[in-house]
Amino acid sequence: MMRIPSSYLVQFQEPEGYLDFARFGPPSHAVVEESTRLLERSMRAGSSTVDGLMREEVRAKAAVARLCGVGAAHVVLSPNTSTGLFQVALALEGEVLVSPAEFPANTYPWARARGAEVQWLPASPVTPASVRAALTPATTALSVSAVDFRTGYRADLAALREVVGDRLLIVDGIQGFGVVDEPWSVADVLVVGGQKWLRAGWSTGFMVLSDRALDRLTPVLSGWTGAEDAGLFNNTLHPLAAGAAAWSITNLSPITAGALATALELAELATIPQLNKRIVQQSNNLAEVIERAGGHIVSERPQSSGILAFTMGDKPTTLVGEALVREGITATIRPEHIRLSPHASTSPEAAARLTAALSALRASARTQIVVPRRVAEPAAPAATNPAATNPAPVEAAAVEAAAASPAPAEAAARHVNSDAGSPKPPVETFPSDVDTLQRILIERAVSSVGIPVELMKKSHKSQVVQMLDDAGLFLIRDSVDHLAGVLGVTRYTIYNYLKEHRKPE
């Protein structure tokens, strides 16, 4: 491991198994204490309190400028990445190149902007070759993430700068700034949120604009604090302020500005190259554990950003995720893979916990829970009295009896023998109670659809109901109400889905 000052490392106290910094970075003691100090100062407000608190913005902008190698006049604070990207999208005219595989914060602004015409790149990593092939005389900008949120792929910003030439290069840096040593100065617009790798907490962020961007873009979404003489209230509209200050919408919280400044100063203390080396080493250690357990790394490895995505053969990611949770590991679980993202402060015990989780997962491959198919055809619900249509309940004994029946071929247990040597007979287990059976059936149906419940449309939810109807879920007492709660719909909606599914061909 590379040396990082102990004065940096002692600032953090996340749980041993926390490996989800690409989603949210638990803030440091210093950030929490600074936020508390500033909030307490506002509690005792006096004649000079507000002016004093507002100086935190100057402090934060100065820290950003030092880390980016620009003047503070090129920096404006922003509450999040989306706000900054929307501001730029609304100000830009002409064709902009964007990959549809970007995080949605980097696609919706361009789709919503009326002056920009989106030219979609291939849904794959943004490379100099793919950009070069897509350039047209009408292209005015390229918008790209410095680090891909799924796999950790690092865009070659210097090469992209060369390819786009005099066009604007707009960079979403949230998944890399503060821990990845990139030539940020090649970007014409750099937008960063501070709640992930910077560990500054929510509602922190900034935007850096080059001279080229300031010359070509006139902010549309700009407020009274983005005008000259913002404190002069003379019943007239003032001209835009000079530099990046013109992109200010209103006064942001000085408390979040102080939190951002503190987080940036901590990163300066540790230095970005040292943080990156430590994080890459942490990521490599976890990758070795995964590969020893038979997993497959799907992340980009040569220029690691710290994001590590993997799969475990044909095992559903939901099952892998459950194994991780049991060992106290926090990760991002998606239908296509699991994403781990350690930080410099990640404990060595995280690798031990990952080893235990994946070992338990391999051992469980020889144990398959038998889930029965539907053993009876419930009557279709009557539209006039939904309350009377809840199918007849099935008690645990009946479930076990149905599961023991050899009739449904789908209920046969699968045996995966992961150990070398003579084969062992498969071990069959049955849900210990109806509630467990209900939970397993619903989790499997949702996983099969492959869409998080909160993003499901009507067609996805109908598909879940159809699969569960085929599996016999609705033989269980109160299952309709339970599923309605899981899917975020009413019990009447579930009945409508059932009626549609059971409609004669």
Side-chain angles (χ1 to χ4, degrees):
M1 290 285 183
M2 300 296 171
R3 289 185 60 83
I4 289 181
S6 59
S7 54
Y8 173 88
L9 295 175
V10 298
Q11 289 291 335
F12 303 99
Q13 199 176 359
E14 71 271 13
E16 287 180 353
Y18 191 86
L19 297 172
D20 209 11
F21 288 89
R23 185 182 187 192
F24 175 72
S28 63
H29 290 299
V31 165
V32 173
E33 290 166 2
E34 180 70 350
S35 300
T36 302
R37 182 185 70 83
L38 294 172
L39 190 59
E40 288 179 343
R41 185 177 174 188
S42 69
M43 180 179 67
R44 298 185 293 272
S47 59
S48 62
T49 301
V50 173
D51 290 338
L53 289 173
M54 289 302 173
R55 283 195 284 272
E56 294 299 321
E57 178 181 349
V58 177
R59 176 186 163 206
K61 290 165 67 173
V64 172
R66 291 193 300 271
L67 285 170
C68 292
V70 300
H74 289 269
V75 181
V76 62
L77 298 190
S78 179
N80 48 58
T81 307
S82 291
T83 298
L85 288 171
F86 262 107
Q87 285 186 279
V88 176
L90 292 172
L92 188 138
E93 294 185 356
E95 184 180 272
V96 57
L97 304 181
V98 187
S99 168
E102 290 277 357
F103 189 78
N106 204 5
T107 56
Y108 280 94
W110 304 109
R112 299 287 189 261
R114 295 185 176 181
E117 180 182 348
V118 181
Q119 177 68 30
W120 296 109
L121 294 168
S124 58
V126 178
T127 65
S130 66
V131 172
R132 186 180 292 108
L135 288 175
T136 71
T139 305
T140 59
L142 166 67
S143 184
V144 62
S145 290
V147 176
D148 178 63
F149 76 102
R150 289 189 180 93
T151 65
Y153 171 81
R154 287 174 61 178
D156 189 340
L157 296 184
L160 291 174
R161 170 79 275 166
E162 185 176 348
V163 169
V164 301
D166 194 46
R167 301 172 177 87
L168 294 178
L169 177 59
I170 301 162
V171 176
D172 176 351
I174 193 170
Q175 289 291 4
F177 192 89
V179 293
V180 173
D181 198 12
E182 290 283 5
W184 301 113
S185 60
V186 304
D188 291 302
V189 179
L190 171 64
V191 188
V192 175
Q195 78 273 21
K196 298 182 187 289
W197 298 95
L198 280 175
R199 310 178 72 164
W202 280 291
S203 298
T204 61
F206 61 86
M207 183 162 59
V208 179
L209 299 105
S210 70
D211 288 332
R212 183 188 287 111
L214 291 173
D215 288 342
R216 296 184 186 178
L217 299 176
T218 299
V220 175
L221 192 56
S222 172
W224 68 279
T225 55
E228 291 182 355
D229 299 319
L232 177 61
F233 308 118
N234 57 354
N235 303 327
T236 62
L237 295 177
H238 300 177
L240 287 171
W247 294 76
S248 175
I249 300 174
T250 189
N251 285 324
L252 299 180
S253 166
I255 297 166
T256 58
L260 177 62
T262 301
L264 292 166
E265 290 160 2
L266 272 177
E268 286 184 289
L269 172 67
T271 76
I272 306 306
Q274 292 297 328
L275 286 172
N276 181 247
K277 290 177 181 177
R278 175 102 172 197
I279 290 169
V280 169
Q281 184 61 59
Q282 300 269 31
S283 179
N284 289 340
N285 290 344
L286 297 174
E288 290 177 7
V289 171
I290 293 165
E291 290 173 337
R292 284 200 304 269
H296 174 63
I297 306 298
V298 299
S299 294
E300 296 287 335
R301 299 292 293 282
Q303 277 195 309
S304 176
S305 61
I307 291 177
L308 183 66
F310 72 98
T311 60
M312 293 299 295
D314 61 353
K315 294 181 178 62
T317 56
T318 51
L319 295 183
V320 181
E322 289 173 1
L324 297 178
V325 169
R326 283 193 292 270
E327 292 298 331
I329 293 177
T330 301
T332 292
I333 312 299
R334 293 198 169 94
E336 67 274 18
H337 61 237
I338 298 94
R339 186 186 70 184
L340 304 179
S341 46
H343 207 286
S345 61
T346 296
S347 168
E349 290 301 317
R353 288 176 179 267
L354 181 61
T355 299
L358 299 184
S359 296
L361 186 68
R362 294 180 67 187
S364 68
R366 295 191 301 274
T367 303
Q368 180 77 15
I369 293 178
V370 179
V371 177
R373 300 285 284 179
R374 185 170 54 189
V375 298
E377 181 72 17
T384 56
N385 186 16
T389 64
N390 203 15
V394 174
E395 301 303 333
V399 173
E400 293 184 7
S405 172
E410 295 85 354
R414 289 193 309 157
H415 170 49
V416 180
N417 184 11
S418 59
D419 297 332
S422 59
K424 301 176 183 179
V427 178
E428 293 185 354
T429 63
F430 298 94
S432 59
D433 53 56
V434 174
D435 289 341
T436 300
L437 174 63
Q438 183 173 247
R439 177 182 60 79
I440 292 172
L441 287 170
I442 292 175
E443 287 179 354
R444 288 186 179 180
V446 170
S447 177
S448 296
V449 172
I451 302 291
V453 171
E454 60 270 19
L455 299 180
M456 282 186 178
K457 300 183 182 299
K458 177 181 177 181
S459 60
H460 301 127
K461 295 179 180 181
S462 178
Q463 186 179 350
V464 169
V465 171
Q466 177 178 338
M467 286 189 288
L468 291 172
D469 192 25
D470 291 340
L473 173 76
F474 300 109
L475 295 173
I476 300 174
R477 184 189 300 275
D478 298 327
S479 57
V480 169
D481 290 328
H482 180 74
L483 180 61
V486 172
L487 296 182
V489 298
T490 67
R491 67 198 312 260
Y492 304 104
T493 300
I494 301 295
Y495 288 128
N496 287 335
Y497 290 154
L498 282 170
K499 183 178 180 181
E500 181 67 24
H501 171 48
R502 297 173 181 175
K503 183 171 61 177
E505 296 293 338

mmCIF file of all heavy atoms in Angstrom, residues 14-44:
data_model
loop_
_atom_site.group_PDB
_atom_site.id
_atom_site.type_symbol
_atom_site.label_atom_id
_atom_site.label_comp_id
_atom_site.label_asym_id
_atom_site.label_seq_id
_atom_site.Cartn_x
_atom_site.Cartn_y
_atom_site.Cartn_z
ATOM 1 N N GLU A 14 -16.208 4.735 8.027
ATOM 2 C CA GLU A 14 -17.248 3.922 7.389
ATOM 3 C C GLU A 14 -17.130 2.466 7.835
ATOM 4 O O GLU A 14 -16.053 2.035 8.261
ATOM 5 C CB GLU A 14 -17.153 4.005 5.864
ATOM 6 C CG GLU A 14 -15.959 3.298 5.240
ATOM 7 C CD GLU A 14 -14.731 4.168 5.112
ATOM 8 O OE1 GLU A 14 -14.724 5.258 5.723
ATOM 9 O OE2 GLU A 14 -13.778 3.759 4.424
ATOM 10 N N PRO A 15 -18.185 1.680 7.768
ATOM 11 C CA PRO A 15 -18.128 0.264 8.160
ATOM 12 C C PRO A 15 -17.091 -0.494 7.335
ATOM 13 O O PRO A 15 -16.776 -0.118 6.203
ATOM 14 C CB PRO A 15 -19.549 -0.242 7.871
ATOM 15 C CG PRO A 15 -20.404 0.982 7.912
ATOM 16 C CD PRO A 15 -19.550 2.094 7.394
ATOM 17 N N GLU A 16 -16.571 -1.580 7.896
ATOM 18 C CA GLU A 16 -15.521 -2.367 7.240
ATOM 19 C C GLU A 16 -15.923 -2.825 5.839
ATOM 20 O O GLU A 16 -15.095 -2.854 4.936
ATOM 21 C CB GLU A 16 -15.191 -3.604 8.077
ATOM 22 C CG GLU A 16 -14.404 -3.325 9.331
ATOM 23 C CD GLU A 16 -14.111 -4.606 10.101
ATOM 24 O OE1 GLU A 16 -14.631 -5.670 9.728
ATOM 25 O OE2 GLU A 16 -13.350 -4.525 11.069
ATOM 26 N N GLY A 17 -17.181 -3.183 5.679
ATOM 27 C CA GLY A 17 -17.611 -3.741 4.403
ATOM 28 C C GLY A 17 -18.198 -2.737 3.442
ATOM 29 O O GLY A 17 -18.817 -3.128 2.443
ATOM 30 N N TYR A 18 -18.000 -1.443 3.689
ATOM 31 C CA TYR A 18 -18.588 -0.440 2.801
ATOM 32 C C TYR A 18 -17.766 -0.337 1.520
ATOM 33 O O TYR A 18 -16.614 0.123 1.537
ATOM 34 C CB TYR A 18 -18.682 0.931 3.472
ATOM 35 C CG TYR A 18 -19.534 1.891 2.666
ATOM 36 C CD1 TYR A 18 -20.916 1.909 2.831
ATOM 37 C CD2 TYR A 18 -18.973 2.722 1.715
ATOM 38 C CE1 TYR A 18 -21.720 2.753 2.077
ATOM 39 C CE2 TYR A 18 -19.763 3.576 0.950
ATOM 40 C CZ TYR A 18 -21.134 3.583 1.135
ATOM 41 O OH TYR A 18 -21.929 4.413 0.377
ATOM 42 N N LEU A 19 -18.355 -0.745 0.398
ATOM 43 C CA LEU A 19 -17.669 -0.750 -0.897
ATOM 44 C C LEU A 19 -18.570 -0.141 -1.962
ATOM 45 O O LEU A 19 -18.757 -0.702 -3.042
ATOM 46 C CB LEU A 19 -17.284 -2.188 -1.286
ATOM 47 C CG LEU A 19 -16.290 -2.901 -0.364
ATOM 48 C CD1 LEU A 19 -16.155 -4.367 -0.755
ATOM 49 C CD2 LEU A 19 -14.924 -2.209 -0.416
ATOM 50 N N ASP A 20 -19.107 1.032 -1.677
ATOM 51 C CA ASP A 20 -20.088 1.643 -2.570
ATOM 52 C C ASP A 20 -19.856 3.139 -2.739
ATOM 53 O O ASP A 20 -20.794 3.929 -2.795
ATOM 54 C CB ASP A 20 -21.503 1.390 -2.030
ATOM 55 C CG ASP A 20 -22.550 1.327 -3.124
ATOM 56 O OD1 ASP A 20 -22.171 1.267 -4.312
ATOM 57 O OD2 ASP A 20 -23.748 1.317 -2.801
ATOM 58 N N PHE A 21 -18.585 3.531 -2.848
ATOM 59 C CA PHE A 21 -18.270 4.957 -2.963
ATOM 60 C C PHE A 21 -18.678 5.544 -4.308
ATOM 61 O O PHE A 21 -18.812 6.757 -4.434
ATOM 62 C CB PHE A 21 -16.770 5.174 -2.718
ATOM 63 C CG PHE A 21 -16.382 5.004 -1.281
ATOM 64 C CD1 PHE A 21 -16.010 3.760 -0.793
ATOM 65 C CD2 PHE A 21 -16.426 6.072 -0.410
ATOM 66 C CE1 PHE A 21 -15.671 3.592 0.540
ATOM 67 C CE2 PHE A 21 -16.090 5.908 0.927
ATOM 68 C CZ PHE A 21 -15.720 4.666 1.403
ATOM 69 N N ALA A 22 -18.858 4.694 -5.315
ATOM 70 C CA ALA A 22 -19.344 5.198 -6.596
ATOM 71 C C ALA A 22 -20.800 5.618 -6.515
ATOM 72 O O ALA A 22 -21.307 6.299 -7.400
ATOM 73 C CB ALA A 22 -19.164 4.135 -7.681
ATOM 74 N N ARG A 23 -21.470 5.203 -5.445
ATOM 75 C CA ARG A 23 -22.844 5.658 -5.211
ATOM 76 C C ARG A 23 -22.893 6.799 -4.207
ATOM 77 O O ARG A 23 -23.559 7.806 -4.438
ATOM 78 C CB ARG A 23 -23.701 4.495 -4.703
ATOM 79 C CG ARG A 23 -25.161 4.866 -4.565
ATOM 80 C CD ARG A 23 -25.994 3.714 -4.020
ATOM 81 N NE ARG A 23 -27.408 4.042 -4.054
ATOM 82 C CZ ARG A 23 -28.343 3.346 -3.442
ATOM 83 N NH1 ARG A 23 -28.023 2.269 -2.726
ATOM 84 N NH2 ARG A 23 -29.598 3.704 -3.517
ATOM 85 N N PHE A 24 -22.214 6.639 -3.093
ATOM 86 C CA PHE A 24 -22.162 7.688 -2.073
ATOM 87 C C PHE A 24 -20.931 7.470 -1.211
ATOM 88 O O PHE A 24 -20.628 6.341 -0.815
ATOM 89 C CB PHE A 24 -23.413 7.665 -1.187
ATOM 90 C CG PHE A 24 -23.349 8.640 -0.043
ATOM 91 C CD1 PHE A 24 -23.460 9.995 -0.280
ATOM 92 C CD2 PHE A 24 -23.161 8.207 1.262
ATOM 93 C CE1 PHE A 24 -23.383 10.908 0.763
ATOM 94 C CE2 PHE A 24 -23.092 9.107 2.314
ATOM 95 C CZ PHE A 24 -23.210 10.470 2.061
ATOM 96 N N GLY A 25 -20.227 8.547 -0.933
ATOM 97 C CA GLY A 25 -19.042 8.481 -0.085
ATOM 98 C C GLY A 25 -19.328 9.033 1.301
ATOM 99 O O GLY A 25 -19.536 10.249 1.458
ATOM 100 N N PRO A 26 -19.380 8.180 2.311
ATOM 101 C CA PRO A 26 -19.591 8.683 3.674
ATOM 102 C C PRO A 26 -18.575 9.781 4.004
ATOM 103 O O PRO A 26 -17.375 9.591 3.814
ATOM 104 C CB PRO A 26 -19.368 7.436 4.544
ATOM 105 C CG PRO A 26 -19.710 6.295 3.648
ATOM 106 C CD PRO A 26 -19.233 6.708 2.288
ATOM 107 N N PRO A 27 -19.021 10.930 4.470
ATOM 108 C CA PRO A 27 -18.103 12.051 4.695
ATOM 109 C C PRO A 27 -17.180 11.827 5.881
ATOM 110 O O PRO A 27 -17.393 10.946 6.713
ATOM 111 C CB PRO A 27 -19.042 13.237 4.937
ATOM 112 C CG PRO A 27 -20.326 12.623 5.387
ATOM 113 C CD PRO A 27 -20.426 11.298 4.720
ATOM 114 N N SER A 28 -16.163 12.645 5.931
ATOM 115 C CA SER A 28 -15.148 12.564 6.984
ATOM 116 C C SER A 28 -15.638 13.220 8.266
ATOM 117 O O SER A 28 -16.617 13.966 8.284
ATOM 118 C CB SER A 28 -13.872 13.269 6.520
ATOM 119 O OG SER A 28 -14.137 14.654 6.316
ATOM 120 N N HIS A 29 -14.904 12.941 9.354
ATOM 121 C CA HIS A 29 -15.181 13.639 10.610
ATOM 122 C C HIS A 29 -15.038 15.141 10.399
ATOM 123 O O HIS A 29 -15.829 15.937 10.927
ATOM 124 C CB HIS A 29 -14.204 13.183 11.689
ATOM 125 C CG HIS A 29 -14.423 11.773 12.160
ATOM 126 N ND1 HIS A 29 -15.594 11.362 12.752
ATOM 127 C CD2 HIS A 29 -13.615 10.689 12.116
ATOM 128 C CE1 HIS A 29 -15.507 10.079 13.064
ATOM 129 N NE2 HIS A 29 -14.316 9.651 12.684
ATOM 130 N N ALA A 30 -14.019 15.532 9.628
ATOM 131 C CA ALA A 30 -13.772 16.964 9.419
ATOM 132 C C ALA A 30 -14.937 17.638 8.715
ATOM 133 O O ALA A 30 -15.325 18.762 9.065
ATOM 134 C CB ALA A 30 -12.485 17.147 8.610
ATOM 135 N N VAL A 31 -15.515 16.961 7.713
ATOM 136 C CA VAL A 31 -16.652 17.533 6.985
ATOM 137 C C VAL A 31 -17.861 17.660 7.911
ATOM 138 O O VAL A 31 -18.550 18.687 7.920
ATOM 139 C CB VAL A 31 -16.986 16.669 5.753
ATOM 140 C CG1 VAL A 31 -18.363 17.023 5.195
ATOM 141 C CG2 VAL A 31 -15.927 16.840 4.674
ATOM 142 N N VAL A 32 -18.115 16.617 8.694
ATOM 143 C CA VAL A 32 -19.254 16.659 9.623
ATOM 144 C C VAL A 32 -19.060 17.751 10.668
ATOM 145 O O VAL A 32 -19.991 18.518 10.981
ATOM 146 C CB VAL A 32 -19.436 15.282 10.293
ATOM 147 C CG1 VAL A 32 -20.499 15.354 11.387
ATOM 148 C CG2 VAL A 32 -19.814 14.225 9.259
ATOM 149 N N GLU A 33 -17.853 17.837 11.199
ATOM 150 C CA GLU A 33 -17.581 18.845 12.231
ATOM 151 C C GLU A 33 -17.668 20.265 11.667
ATOM 152 O O GLU A 33 -18.186 21.170 12.324
ATOM 153 C CB GLU A 33 -16.201 18.595 12.835
ATOM 154 C CG GLU A 33 -16.148 17.330 13.694
ATOM 155 C CD GLU A 33 -14.732 16.907 14.014
ATOM 156 O OE1 GLU A 33 -13.785 17.616 13.593
ATOM 157 O OE2 GLU A 33 -14.563 15.851 14.657
ATOM 158 N N GLU A 34 -17.162 20.462 10.434
ATOM 159 C CA GLU A 34 -17.226 21.787 9.833
ATOM 160 C C GLU A 34 -18.673 22.181 9.546
ATOM 161 O O GLU A 34 -19.073 23.326 9.784
ATOM 162 C CB GLU A 34 -16.400 21.817 8.547
ATOM 163 C CG GLU A 34 -16.381 23.148 7.829
ATOM 164 C CD GLU A 34 -15.587 24.219 8.566
ATOM 165 O OE1 GLU A 34 -15.195 23.996 9.739
ATOM 166 O OE2 GLU A 34 -15.369 25.289 7.982
ATOM 167 N N SER A 35 -19.450 21.231 9.047
ATOM 168 C CA SER A 35 -20.863 21.516 8.780
ATOM 169 C C SER A 35 -21.586 21.876 10.080
ATOM 170 O O SER A 35 -22.394 22.817 10.118
ATOM 171 C CB SER A 35 -21.538 20.301 8.139
ATOM 172 O OG SER A 35 -20.917 19.962 6.920
ATOM 173 N N THR A 36 -21.283 21.136 11.137
ATOM 174 C CA THR A 36 -21.897 21.409 12.442
ATOM 175 C C THR A 36 -21.478 22.772 12.971
ATOM 176 O O THR A 36 -22.297 23.541 13.493
ATOM 177 C CB THR A 36 -21.509 20.315 13.445
ATOM 178 O OG1 THR A 36 -21.924 19.046 12.934
ATOM 179 C CG2 THR A 36 -22.162 20.554 14.798
ATOM 180 N N ARG A 37 -20.183 23.078 12.818
ATOM 181 C CA ARG A 37 -19.669 24.371 13.308
ATOM 182 C C ARG A 37 -20.362 25.525 12.608
ATOM 183 O O ARG A 37 -20.790 26.506 13.251
ATOM 184 C CB ARG A 37 -18.158 24.443 13.070
ATOM 185 C CG ARG A 37 -17.504 25.726 13.596
ATOM 186 C CD ARG A 37 -16.039 25.802 13.221
ATOM 187 N NE ARG A 37 -15.848 26.017 11.789
ATOM 188 C CZ ARG A 37 -15.895 27.212 11.217
ATOM 189 N NH1 ARG A 37 -16.172 28.299 11.934
ATOM 190 N NH2 ARG A 37 -15.688 27.328 9.914
ATOM 191 N N LEU A 38 -20.495 25.431 11.303
ATOM 192 C CA LEU A 38 -21.121 26.509 10.547
ATOM 193 C C LEU A 38 -22.606 26.619 10.860
ATOM 194 O O LEU A 38 -23.162 27.722 10.950
ATOM 195 C CB LEU A 38 -20.910 26.281 9.046
ATOM 196 C CG LEU A 38 -19.455 26.364 8.570
ATOM 197 C CD1 LEU A 38 -19.331 25.921 7.118
ATOM 198 C CD2 LEU A 38 -18.910 27.783 8.740
ATOM 199 N N LEU A 39 -23.262 25.472 11.041
ATOM 200 C CA LEU A 39 -24.683 25.508 11.380
ATOM 201 C C LEU A 39 -24.891 26.108 12.766
ATOM 202 O O LEU A 39 -25.822 26.915 12.978
ATOM 203 C CB LEU A 39 -25.256 24.089 11.319
ATOM 204 C CG LEU A 39 -26.777 23.956 11.421
ATOM 205 C CD1 LEU A 39 -27.460 24.720 10.301
ATOM 206 C CD2 LEU A 39 -27.187 22.491 11.387
ATOM 207 N N GLU A 40 -24.024 25.754 13.702
ATOM 208 C CA GLU A 40 -24.127 26.329 15.046
ATOM 209 C C GLU A 40 -23.840 27.828 15.021
ATOM 210 O O GLU A 40 -24.441 28.606 15.768
ATOM 211 C CB GLU A 40 -23.156 25.616 15.977
ATOM 212 C CG GLU A 40 -23.587 24.201 16.329
ATOM 213 C CD GLU A 40 -22.595 23.503 17.240
ATOM 214 O OE1 GLU A 40 -21.438 23.991 17.336
ATOM 215 O OE2 GLU A 40 -22.958 22.477 17.858
ATOM 216 N N ARG A 41 -22.924 28.225 14.136
ATOM 217 C CA ARG A 41 -22.628 29.658 14.013
ATOM 218 C C ARG A 41 -23.857 30.406 13.509
ATOM 219 O O ARG A 41 -24.159 31.516 13.964
ATOM 220 C CB ARG A 41 -21.456 29.847 13.050
ATOM 221 C CG ARG A 41 -20.973 31.272 12.921
ATOM 222 C CD ARG A 41 -19.763 31.347 12.016
ATOM 223 N NE ARG A 41 -19.348 32.719 11.766
ATOM 224 C CZ ARG A 41 -18.423 33.066 10.898
ATOM 225 N NH1 ARG A 41 -17.784 32.121 10.201
ATOM 226 N NH2 ARG A 41 -18.109 34.328 10.717
ATOM 227 N N SER A 42 -24.586 29.784 12.559
ATOM 228 C CA SER A 42 -25.794 30.434 12.053
ATOM 229 C C SER A 42 -26.884 30.490 13.124
ATOM 230 O O SER A 42 -27.737 31.381 13.106
ATOM 231 C CB SER A 42 -26.315 29.691 10.815
ATOM 232 O OG SER A 42 -26.819 28.419 11.168
ATOM 233 N N MET A 43 -26.847 29.541 14.064
ATOM 234 C CA MET A 43 -27.829 29.529 15.144
ATOM 235 C C MET A 43 -27.672 30.757 16.049
ATOM 236 O O MET A 43 -28.639 31.257 16.620
ATOM 237 C CB MET A 43 -27.654 28.239 15.958
ATOM 238 C CG MET A 43 -28.611 28.074 17.125
ATOM 239 S SD MET A 43 -28.333 26.510 17.999
ATOM 240 C CE MET A 43 -26.700 26.822 18.705
ATOM 241 N N ARG A 44 -26.439 31.246 16.148
ATOM 242 C CA ARG A 44 -26.169 32.421 16.999
ATOM 243 C C ARG A 44 -25.941 33.663 16.127
ATOM 244 O O ARG A 44 -25.014 34.440 16.377
ATOM 245 C CB ARG A 44 -24.950 32.153 17.874
ATOM 246 C CG ARG A 44 -25.126 30.977 18.831
ATOM 247 C CD ARG A 44 -23.935 30.836 19.752
ATOM 248 N NE ARG A 44 -22.729 30.441 19.022
ATOM 249 C CZ ARG A 44 -22.377 29.183 18.784
ATOM 250 N NH1 ARG A 44 -23.139 28.195 19.218
ATOM 251 N NH2 ARG A 44 -21.271 28.910 18.115
#
